[in-house]
Amino acid sequence: MYINKNLSEHIKGRLDDCDDLVTRTFPELEIEVLFFGHLVGEEELRNNIVQPFSNIKNDEVINILRRKEFKQEEDLNSMVNGILEGKALVIFKNSLAYTVDIYVPKTRSVSAAEIETVIVGPKEAFIEDIGTNLSMIRRRLKSDSLKVVSYKIGTLTQTKMYLLYIEGITSSVLVKELQEKINGIDIKGINDLNQLVQYLDKKPLSIFPQYFTTERPDVSTSKLLEGRVICLLDGSPYSLSTPTSFFEFFQSPDDYNQRWLLGTLSRALRFAALVITLFASAFYVAVSMFHYEIIPVKLLHEFIKSRSGVPFNPLIEALIIESIIELLREAGARLPSKIGQTIGIVGGIVIGTAAVEAGFTSNILIIVVSISAISSFVVPHIIMTASLRIARFIFIILASIAGFFGIIFGFILLLIHLCSLKNMGEYYFKPIAPLSLKDLKDTIIRAPYQFFKK
Amino acid sequence: MQNETFKPFYLFFITYMTQMGIVFFSLPNIIATHFGYNGWIMIIPISVVVLIHIGLIAKIYSFNKGESIFETIESLNSKAKMILMLLYISLSIFWSILAVTIAKHYAYVMKFLYFPYTDIQWFVLLTLILAFYLVTRGIITIVHITTIFFFLSAPIIFLLFYFVPDFSFLQFSTFLFNENKDFYGGIIELYTAFLGFEVILFMFPYISKEKSGFKYVFWAHLYTSFVYLIVTIFSYGFNSIQQLTRQVYPVVTLMRYIEFEFIERLDSIIFILFYLKVLITITMYVWISLVTLKRVVKWSDNLIVFVLLIVGYLSTLPFVTKKESIILLSALTKVQLFLSVFLPLLLLMIIFKKRRSNG
């Protein structure tokens, strides 16, 4: 739509009742500037608008408007969108319009990662501003083959999104497939990358996260180097990477920054933790309901003694204690960090001890549940931890129905599900299924760098 | 549409896991009752015969060049379509009945050993749910799952080291095959213990074409023979022949002997880990009945598998006791033995006929 009369009125009509719209006029030059004061930087406004138009004559205006930071707009929509994106709209003689980008987002500064912490390695994490996030990746990857494609997500929020990949390493089929998926998203608005991920999910009913999200720029960079695609979303301190594998969620930058043997052993520890957190409570329920025979006689005495006063069957008992742990965890997550710790420790100790003394539960169960709760925190990614928690409850219930057979039934279902999941054409359970010995040395173990081949 | 293919090395896992079945637990008993003293020796000649049998399938594979065996059969005569359809349907139903019977047999053994108060129908239904879920995910997922199951269940073999201190050569005696009952019946029985490799016949189109891919089937068979042999030798060295003939599941008894600091009576865990192998055997038979029936009807995989499992389940319902299920299973495996010999021979005949007519 091209308008050459009363342009200012049209724009103001579109932005009617937007009291935060700022208008500055230079009447002697017939110039009117429109912008949202809270989106623009003061210094940028002074340098790009106020100073150039101060103390000049009428005939000099056209020269200033020819500068390259002034972009002529002919479409009313793009003028309004420009203002909404933090540009200043310069209207000359009420008929010509130019936008100048003076957007300065007001965000917090870069700080240390809070969820994915490491012992050795860089500390910084992504923040809410997409430009800063991109700069953190560009700073680490100074190559012209790093490509950035820009998108807008959400019909109302118009949230900026970047898709990053390295040309020559990432397969172009993958990039195209993801682009199609992103273009297929039709929503009003988006707040966070972790929401976007769920729109992209191929199997929305699965309990497992199908995209890997991280708040660490160093991890994102290494994903790029492995040939994956990275997405950044404005307003979200996360990046997603795809294709995703189940085993990615058990890796931490620490594995790579520390000596290989330590890296390998801590991975082994994490897989042990995975087994414990999934099966420990279910094992207890199965043993105390069906398979007493596997406990050695020496232990059996203590076991029966601790269970003798408990009025509930092992399933109810385990569910009560597991639910209490979940309550504590949820309360700890919502409260400010200082009170959160108190509630965790005091709540855990007081309720745990009191529950045993009151004869609610056996103390062996308290030990089992605590160990499985601690194990769940060993898994480095909080999203995967949540999935495993859900699976654990399913296993407990199955164990109460059919003992070890119930556990193995659930386990097989879980494995079939994991093996049939695919993410962007790649198997989720890679490199176990399909089995690739070559890739095992960087998933199950962390071999010395000399063993990796390009 | 081109089938998705898997690398030939997966054939090792598929063959081994399909061969190894519930019979493993009673194998020393079968051998002891049929062959008597030092009966374990019989595993070697029979394993060699099975090796030749697998060689037949390997020949077909090399002649077929990845073509499915259905195409080979159908290329013979296009007029006899009705007969072929009937044959496919009956074979398909037979295999699904066989699969359900194996599931039922495992459930009976499990009930007998660990869950005396549970109705076996629950176990059968749960197994069928798993088989349904697994088969409908497609052959690639089945192959992947089989590989994982192999690595989960294979380390059990190392538990045999536990018996080394109590192993006694005295138990072997110097007699050979004395006190045997039914020598020839024993050969058939032992031969059926190796069955399962014939499912490879149906996988030709799914194996990615690489040279000498079939050697993995031979390796798998040799590994199965090795496991059978070593477990039987240990059973013979650990029990007297009289003990072996009286225990129904000597391998379970053997495992009951194991005691660790925190866990004793490990047999229940091992027996249930063995479920992984049994499930793969069941899944493979359901899968071949699926691909067979797919030549006849154009339904979705889900529907075909569902119908087949229902048919299999209903047909085995009349067999209610453990004894009946054992009789049914042994009858079915004998038919399967016949099929596994007949089918490759038929295919080879067709192939030779085709070659001669093509010059």
Side-chain angles (χ1 to χ4, degrees):
Chain A
M1 186 169 28
Y2 187 75
I3 296 163
N4 53 5
K5 265 184 244 165
N6 254 342
L7 191 56
S8 164
E9 291 304 311
H10 273 101
I11 304 273
K12 282 180 183 160
R14 282 282 294 269
L15 295 169
D16 190 24
D17 270 352
C18 296
D19 291 344
D20 48 346
L21 185 73
V22 181
T23 315
R24 282 189 78 158
T25 48
F26 298 87
E28 65 285 1
L29 303 175
E30 289 183 76
I31 277 181
E32 198 171 6
V33 186
L34 300 174
F35 57 88
F36 284 118
H38 41 79
L39 290 181
V40 303
E42 260 174 52
E43 199 176 326
E44 282 74 11
L45 181 68
R46 197 166 50 241
N47 289 345
N48 288 318
I49 310 282
V50 180
Q51 255 177 17
F53 292 126
S54 304
N55 306 322
I56 53 162
K57 286 178 193 132
N58 267 348
D59 49 345
E60 282 172 296
V61 171
I62 205 76
N63 286 336
I64 291 172
L65 291 176
R66 275 195 201 122
R67 288 180 186 175
K68 67 174 185 311
E69 60 260 33
F70 287 85
K71 187 169 162 254
Q72 187 162 7
E73 299 285 354
E74 307 207 325
D75 178 42
L76 194 63
N77 279 331
S78 54
M79 295 175 201
V80 175
N81 284 342
I83 297 176
L84 291 169
E85 280 166 16
K87 293 172 183 163
L89 186 74
V90 179
I91 301 171
F92 180 50
K93 287 190 171 164
N94 215 357
S95 61
L96 293 172
Y98 301 83
T99 51
V100 192
D101 194 357
I102 51 172
Y103 174 60
V104 174
K106 295 190 172 53
T107 52
R108 64 191 170 105
S109 56
V110 175
S111 57
E114 277 179 11
I115 296 170
E116 295 163 47
T117 48
V118 295
I119 302 165
V120 181
K123 299 273 183 277
E124 66 176 4
F126 286 130
I127 59 163
E128 283 76 6
D129 173 44
I130 192 167
T132 317
N133 293 347
L134 187 60
S135 82
M136 280 192 253
I137 290 180
R138 278 266 186 223
R139 234 172 36 225
R140 287 181 161 80
L141 233 164
K142 295 179 199 71
S143 164
D144 57 348
S145 49
L146 172 62
K147 305 295 177 197
V148 179
V149 189
S150 163
Y151 291 93
K152 290 267 165 65
I153 307 272
T155 48
L156 284 184
T157 54
Q158 291 283 317
T159 314
K160 201 190 269 181
M161 184 184 140
Y162 288 140
L163 187 148
L164 282 72
Y165 64 94
I166 300 183
E167 202 177 46
I169 297 183
T170 314
S171 88
S172 51
V173 183
L174 172 67
V175 176
K176 205 174 265 171
E177 202 182 324
L178 189 62
Q179 281 176 335
E180 271 167 25
K181 270 201 150 173
I182 291 169
N183 287 330
I185 297 175
D186 181 26
I187 40 172
K188 274 200 191 120
I190 193 100
N191 283 321
D192 190 70
L193 195 75
N194 291 305
Q195 292 175 0
L196 182 77
V197 160
Q198 295 175 50
Y199 281 102
L200 294 173
D201 270 355
K202 205 174 173 188
K203 291 227 170 135
L205 295 180
S206 170
I207 60 169
F208 289 100
Q210 286 156 57
Y211 291 86
F212 182 83
T213 53
T214 178
E215 55 167 358
R216 300 183 59 87
D218 53 333
V219 173
S220 302
T221 314
S222 74
K223 297 288 170 214
L224 277 171
L225 290 171
E226 286 167 18
R228 295 177 215 263
V229 183
I230 295 284
C231 291
L232 297 170
L233 188 78
D234 199 21
S236 171
Y238 285 95
S239 82
L240 80 82
S241 79
T242 183
T244 314
S245 126
F246 178 77
F247 297 97
E248 267 180 80
F249 294 91
F250 295 86
Q251 297 173 355
S252 158
D254 266 335
D255 305 347
Y256 296 96
N257 299 336
Q258 301 197 20
R259 304 277 309 158
W260 73 271
L261 190 59
L262 196 67
T264 301
L265 290 177
S266 32
R267 270 190 197 168
L269 197 67
R270 271 178 226 139
F271 290 119
L274 168 71
V275 173
I276 292 171
T277 192
L278 279 179
F279 299 117
S281 311
F283 192 77
Y284 171 87
V285 173
V287 166
S288 49
M289 286 178 88
F290 294 93
H291 308 280
Y292 264 110
E293 78 273 5
I294 74 157
I295 309 170
V297 182
K298 283 178 272 175
L299 275 175
L300 190 63
H301 187 63
E302 286 302 314
F303 191 79
I304 291 174
K305 208 165 76 186
S306 86
R307 272 214 37 84
S308 59
V310 181
F312 311 113
N313 80 7
L315 171 69
I316 306 290
E317 191 191 353
L319 285 182
I320 289 174
I321 296 298
E322 287 282 354
S323 312
I324 290 174
I325 295 267
E326 291 300 319
L327 282 176
L328 287 173
R329 191 196 319 246
E330 193 61 21
R334 298 286 157 261
L335 281 171
S337 60
K338 277 169 192 149
I339 315 174
Q341 277 182 5
T342 325
I343 221 174
I345 295 163
V346 175
I349 292 169
V350 170
I351 294 176
T353 322
V356 172
E357 278 175 10
F360 253 126
T361 66
S362 77
N363 41 22
I364 291 179
L365 177 66
I366 296 275
I367 297 171
V368 169
V369 170
S370 315
I371 289 174
S372 73
I374 292 169
S375 301
S376 76
F377 294 119
V378 175
V379 178
H381 284 271
I382 209 95
I383 302 172
M384 182 52 87
T385 310
S387 304
L388 297 178
R389 267 153 63 192
I390 299 169
R392 179 162 75 214
F393 276 93
I394 298 172
F395 280 124
I396 292 173
I397 291 166
L398 285 174
S400 76
I401 296 171
F404 289 158
F405 184 76
I407 298 180
I408 205 100
F409 174 80
F411 176 64
I412 293 171
L413 275 186
L414 189 78
L415 265 185
I416 299 174
H417 173 65
L418 281 172
C419 285
S420 57
L421 265 187
K422 266 181 159 188
N423 179 276
M424 292 290 150
E426 293 247 3
Y427 283 97
Y428 190 62
F429 217 53
K430 221 180 141 188
I432 299 282
L435 187 67
S436 157
L437 293 177
K438 199 171 81 233
D439 295 334
L440 279 181
K441 62 180 179 236
D442 188 27
T443 37
I444 307 300
I445 61 166
R446 206 283 273 170
Y449 288 125
Q450 283 77 2
F451 288 46
F452 294 115
K453 272 190 189 151
K454 284 251 167 173
Chain B
M1 200 186 85
Q2 188 66 36
N3 288 316
E4 211 179 346
T5 57
F6 57 85
K7 288 236 166 67
F9 75 85
Y10 286 111
L11 285 174
F12 176 84
F13 306 110
I14 279 281
T15 313
Y16 169 72
M17 295 292 277
T18 319
Q19 276 189 316
M20 185 71 81
I22 188 77
V23 68
F24 173 77
F25 289 104
S26 49
L27 191 68
N29 170 265
I30 292 170
I31 289 172
T33 41
H34 286 106
F35 303 125
Y37 286 105
N38 285 324
W40 56 271
I41 293 173
M42 277 311 284
I43 293 179
I44 298 167
I46 291 190
S47 168
V48 172
V49 178
V50 176
L51 207 62
I52 297 165
H53 192 165
I54 296 175
L56 283 182
I57 298 177
K59 266 273 165 298
I60 298 168
Y61 178 69
S62 64
F63 284 139
N64 254 20
K65 298 188 184 71
E67 192 189 50
S68 106
I69 59 160
F70 299 114
E71 281 162 28
T72 315
I73 295 175
E74 283 157 21
S75 71
L76 179 67
N77 191 346
S78 50
K79 283 175 200 158
K81 216 175 167 193
M82 263 325 273
I83 300 169
L84 269 185
M85 294 292 145
L86 281 176
L87 183 73
Y88 287 165
I89 292 173
S90 41
L91 277 181
S92 168
I93 290 174
F94 168 73
W95 281 318
S96 53
I97 293 174
L98 178 63
V100 177
T101 313
I102 296 169
K104 214 166 180 177
H105 184 61
Y106 182 84
Y108 272 119
V109 178
M110 188 155 62
K111 179 189 162 85
F112 171 70
L113 289 171
Y114 305 106
F115 296 92
Y117 301 115
T118 316
D119 189 354
I120 69 131
Q121 300 303 340
W122 285 112
F123 293 129
V124 176
L125 280 177
L126 288 179
T127 308
L128 294 188
I129 289 171
L130 287 179
F132 174 81
Y133 189 38
L134 187 49
V135 172
T136 51
R137 297 300 102 179
I139 184 68
I140 302 296
T141 303
I142 296 177
V143 166
H144 291 163
I145 284 283
T146 307
T147 312
I148 297 174
F149 285 2
F150 172 81
F151 285 108
L152 287 175
S153 56
I156 296 174
I157 192 83
F158 292 110
L159 283 176
L160 283 177
F161 284 113
Y162 192 88
F163 300 101
V164 172
D166 297 301
F167 188 85
S168 161
F169 282 103
L170 272 181
Q171 309 275 17
F172 285 95
S173 91
T174 49
F175 296 106
L176 186 65
F177 305 147
N178 279 40
E179 292 197 12
N180 71 69
K181 276 182 196 154
D182 179 9
F183 194 80
Y184 297 102
I187 290 178
I188 302 264
E189 194 101 6
L190 189 51
Y191 203 97
T192 54
F194 283 105
L195 279 185
F197 56 84
E198 71 277 10
V199 297
I200 303 296
L201 271 177
F202 298 84
M203 285 188 189
F204 292 167
Y206 304 94
I207 305 167
S208 67
K209 319 260 168 315
E210 274 168 50
K211 267 187 184 165
S212 68
F214 215 82
K215 68 178 179 214
Y216 294 102
V217 181
F218 290 108
W219 283 117
H221 169 67
L222 291 179
Y223 184 62
T224 311
S225 312
F226 166 75
V227 172
Y228 280 172
L229 193 63
I230 196 159
V231 168
T232 316
I233 288 176
F234 265 89
S235 303
Y236 265 88
F238 198 74
N239 299 293
S240 71
I241 188 87
Q242 285 76 18
Q243 284 169 326
L244 277 184
T245 48
R246 274 179 211 143
Q247 295 165 5
V248 193
Y249 304 109
V251 180
V252 176
T253 320
L254 201 65
M255 289 182 311
R256 285 197 174 145
Y257 187 70
I258 301 171
E259 255 178 51
F260 288 125
E261 201 61 34
F262 285 102
I263 289 178
E264 63 180 42
R265 292 285 306 277
L266 213 58
D267 54 311
S268 53
I269 295 175
I270 293 170
F271 184 82
I272 282 167
L273 262 182
F274 218 83
Y275 180 69
L276 304 175
K277 291 185 189 181
V278 177
L279 182 68
I280 293 298
T281 311
I282 296 164
T283 304
M284 285 324 299
Y285 283 121
V286 177
W287 183 76
I288 61 172
S289 61
L290 164 73
V291 289
T292 312
L293 200 59
K294 256 176 135 172
R295 304 298 295 191
V296 184
V297 290
K298 295 270 173 288
W299 300 340
S300 72
D301 282 13
N302 286 1
L303 184 61
I304 296 180
V305 178
F306 186 74
V307 169
L308 281 174
L309 289 180
I310 293 282
V311 169
Y313 181 72
L314 293 179
S315 343
T316 55
L317 265 188
F319 302 89
V320 279
T321 64
K322 180 154 170 268
K323 191 152 189 150
E324 281 170 350
S325 100
I326 291 173
I327 292 168
L328 177 66
L329 185 64
S330 96
L332 290 178
T333 43
K334 272 169 197 135
V335 178
Q336 177 63 14
L337 176 62
F338 167 74
L339 281 177
S340 67
V341 177
F342 168 75
L343 211 58
L345 289 178
L346 176 78
L347 285 165
L348 276 179
M349 262 164 56
I350 294 171
I351 289 166
F352 282 128
K353 202 180 160 203
K354 247 167 77 179
R355 293 188 132 205
R356 203 179 298 155
S357 62
N358 290 353

